[in-house]
Amino acid sequence: QGQLVQSGPEMKKPGASVKVSCKASDFTFINTVINWVRQSPGQGLEWMGWITGYNGNTNYADNVHDRVTMTTDTSTATAYMELRSLRSDDTAVYFCVTAYYYDNTAHSHYFDRWGQGTLVTVSS
Amino acid sequence: DIQMTQSPSSLSASVGDRVTITCRASQNIRNFLNWYQQKPGKAPHLLIYGASTLQSGVPSRFTGSGSGTEFILTISSLQPEDFATYYCQQSYGVTFGGGTKVEI
């Protein structure tokens, strides 16, 4: 089945950057698409973007595209999400999650394997 | 961007009740709609994909229906372990609904 294990909680000041890691195990990393989803305290889920394990292609959500960079290291089967110019409203639990394609179209996918989440707190 | 609107945002129910949650898309997303359950402190868990296909291992009391812009998640007989927050998610692009908290 495989799993995703994320890095530990972070506390940052406004204006700083944070880099969260997501290590894959027991599945073929290069065949996956890793998405990042965040959840502010007591709030809903917000998709941030995806990166392909195969060639590192990315697609970012409009509301973070100018502050986020997603990368992968295939040698360690690890994905990274860096968010810059942090603000208090970036305080959230950040999840990495793989997308499973159940049909032969780009839209036929769902999120299956989730990391445990990484709490990022932004406070002065 | 496609907006997803869930209703209600919360509901109170009892064990054994039939519960329905609605999700509306701002444009036609065909059947590219998934449903997740989330419990406090945990990652979401897939229930339904492709609007109506039950994920393996999910109890049959959960059913999904709809296509185009209106979708429904039904829990036929609410069980104690079903008290949680439910999210719809469109995979035409990727956005989530605001969530529906099911409380006792």
Side-chain angles (χ1 to χ4, degrees):
Chain A
Q1 279 284 49
Q3 62 175 346
L4 297 170
V5 178
Q6 298 182 223
S7 49
E10 301 266 10
M11 185 161 288
K12 297 290 182 181
K13 294 193 182 301
S17 298
V18 69
K19 192 169 187 177
V20 179
S21 68
C22 169
K23 183 170 176 59
S25 62
D26 299 328
F27 65 94
T28 307
F29 183 78
I30 61 170
N31 290 343
T32 62
V33 178
I34 301 285
N35 288 254
W36 290 88
V37 173
R38 69 180 179 179
Q39 186 168 37
S40 300
Q43 301 301 310
L45 301 163
E46 179 186 18
W47 175 75
M48 299 178 69
W50 53 251
I51 182 166
T52 60
Y54 173 66
N55 57 11
N57 284 349
T58 55
N59 180 29
Y60 301 143
D62 288 345
N63 62 333
V64 294
H65 79 278
D66 56 343
R67 298 191 295 131
V68 71
T69 301
M70 296 176 187
T71 56
T72 59
D73 180 346
T74 55
S75 68
T76 60
T78 303
Y80 299 91
M81 186 284 300
E82 181 179 31
L83 189 62
R84 301 177 293 279
S85 302
L86 289 169
R87 312 183 292 240
S88 58
D89 61 358
D90 291 318
T91 294
V93 175
Y94 289 76
F95 293 100
C96 59
V97 55
T98 57
Y100 178 81
Y101 290 78
Y102 56 88
D103 200 352
N104 201 23
T105 72
H107 306 306
S108 302
H109 67 270
Y110 56 76
F111 294 147
D112 59 347
R113 296 182 197 90
W114 293 75
Q116 82 276 20
T118 296
L119 175 61
V120 175
T121 303
V122 183
S123 174
S124 55
Chain B
D1 286 358
I2 299 172
Q3 307 301 315
M4 305 300 294
T5 303
Q6 266 184 256
S7 61
S9 56
S10 66
L11 64 91
S12 296
S14 301
V15 172
D17 284 354
R18 181 183 181 87
V19 169
T20 61
I21 298 169
T22 299
C23 183
R24 289 187 173 87
S26 60
Q27 65 188 70
N28 186 353
I29 57 169
R30 296 166 57 186
N31 67 336
F32 298 119
L33 191 284
N34 307 317
W35 290 98
Y36 300 85
Q37 176 193 70
Q38 187 181 32
K39 295 185 177 179
K42 301 291 187 182
H45 171 70
L46 179 72
L47 300 173
I48 303 278
Y49 65 92
S52 60
T53 303
L54 192 68
Q55 171 69 337
S56 176
V58 174
S60 59
R61 63 181 178 273
F62 291 93
T63 57
S65 62
S67 66
T69 61
E70 184 155 333
F71 303 86
I72 295 173
L73 174 70
T74 301
I75 310 172
S76 60
S77 177
L78 200 65
Q79 298 301 298
E81 61 268 30
D82 300 337
F83 291 96
T85 301
Y86 294 83
Y87 294 93
C88 61
Q89 175 242 326
Q90 60 89 6
S91 59
Y92 204 82
V94 183
T95 48
F96 290 89
T100 297
K101 187 173 184 179
V102 177
E103 300 175 293
I104 299 173

